[in-house]
């Protein structure tokens, strides 16, 4: 737990530095079609810090609950805007298989779970979203894993340099499902 606390403090310090160096931002994620606007740099830094934190927790993140919740989270991020096309699925799958922590699991397990959720979200988004959030909720029993699921979602969502309002909304819902404060993750 001490390692996680130290990493969390590092992320908080980076967040404060990024906010201090950006001049005046109007807190939160902004409004009106912005793609991150002036917070884009701090978002990229946050994604980098979270990726490092996840890497340092690799040996702790080997449970089936983390694997399944992370794949549900990735599917929700992919479908956040209400649809998923083949190119997006292929890009997301590449990000998943290239993720250092997710390499703890056999690629076929990851693909199967990811595609199961994407298929459910594509057929019936509200029902698929409910099922994905139920899968995510299973990680709530272990705070380190719960935070790692959100961090994984943020890293995957931010990998393309674009962090949409829909993705942020999905991540905030996942935080609520896991009993975490979205502000902890700058959401």
């Amino acid at each position: 737990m001490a390692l996680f606390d130290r990493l969390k403090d590092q992320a908080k310090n980076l967040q404060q530095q990024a906010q201090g160096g950006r001049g005046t931002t109007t807190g939160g994620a902004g409004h009106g079609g912005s793609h991150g606007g002036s917070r884009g740099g701090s978002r990229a830094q946050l994604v980098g810090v979270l990726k490092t934190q996840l890497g340092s927790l690799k040996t702790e993140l080997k449970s089936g609950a983390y694997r399944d919740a992370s794949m549900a989270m990735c599917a929700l991020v992919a479908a956040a805007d209400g649809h998923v096309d083949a190119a997006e699925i292929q890009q997301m799958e590449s990000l998943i298989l290239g993720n250092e922590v997710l390499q703890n699991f056999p690629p076929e397990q990851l693909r199967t779970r990811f595609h199961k959720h994407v298929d459910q979200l594509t057929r019936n988004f509200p029902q698929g979203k409910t099922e994905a959030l139920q899968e995510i909720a299973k990680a709530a029993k272990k705070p380190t894993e719960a935070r790692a699921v959100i961090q994984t979602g943020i890293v995957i969502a931010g990998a393309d340099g674009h962090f949409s309002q829909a993705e942020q909304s999905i991540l905030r819902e996942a935080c609520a499902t896991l009993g975490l404060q979205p502000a902890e993750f700058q959401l």
Side-chain angles (χ1 to χ4, degrees):
M1 195 64 173
L3 173 65
F4 182 76
D5 290 337
R6 191 170 65 243
L7 293 171
K8 191 172 154 185
D9 287 343
Q10 289 172 348
K12 186 180 268 186
N13 289 339
L14 180 60
Q15 175 185 1
Q16 290 169 346
Q17 289 171 355
Q19 288 174 345
R22 298 264 172 236
T24 57
T25 57
T26 55
H31 297 284
S34 163
H35 292 260
S38 63
R39 294 185 59 103
S42 64
R43 286 276 185 228
Q45 288 176 322
L46 175 65
V47 168
V49 168
L50 294 179
K51 198 172 188 178
T52 300
Q53 287 178 357
L54 283 169
S56 69
L57 295 170
K58 183 176 180 176
T59 58
E60 295 178 48
L61 299 173
K62 293 184 176 182
S63 77
Y66 169 72
R67 175 201 58 211
D68 296 350
S70 292
M71 290 304 92
M73 183 80 262
C74 289
L76 278 172
V77 166
D81 62 1
H83 73 281
V84 186
D85 61 34
E88 193 173 9
I89 291 173
Q90 185 176 5
Q91 179 188 17
M92 187 66 67
E93 193 173 296
S94 175
L95 290 169
I96 290 167
L97 297 177
N99 182 285
E100 179 183 354
V101 176
L102 294 174
Q103 290 175 359
N104 280 336
F105 307 102
E108 202 48 47
Q109 287 181 7
L110 299 174
R111 277 190 196 97
T112 299
R113 284 161 176 80
F114 173 69
H115 285 281
K116 176 189 105 175
H117 286 290
V118 168
D119 291 346
Q120 291 170 334
L121 288 159
T122 302
R123 275 196 313 272
N124 181 336
F125 185 80
Q127 182 180 345
K129 181 177 163 185
T130 298
E131 291 177 21
L133 288 171
Q134 287 172 345
E135 193 75 53
I136 289 169
K138 294 176 184 175
K141 296 173 188 165
K142 295 182 181 177
T144 299
E145 289 184 6
R147 284 180 174 81
V149 168
I150 299 300
Q151 291 171 327
T152 300
I154 292 170
V155 167
I156 296 294
D160 63 358
H162 172 30
F163 205 13
S164 75
Q165 293 293 328
E167 290 168 338
Q168 290 178 49
S169 178
I170 285 289
L171 287 160
R172 282 191 293 272
E173 286 186 63
C175 284
T177 298
L178 292 167
L180 300 172
Q181 293 299 316
E184 180 180 340
F185 305 97
Q186 293 187 15
L187 295 171

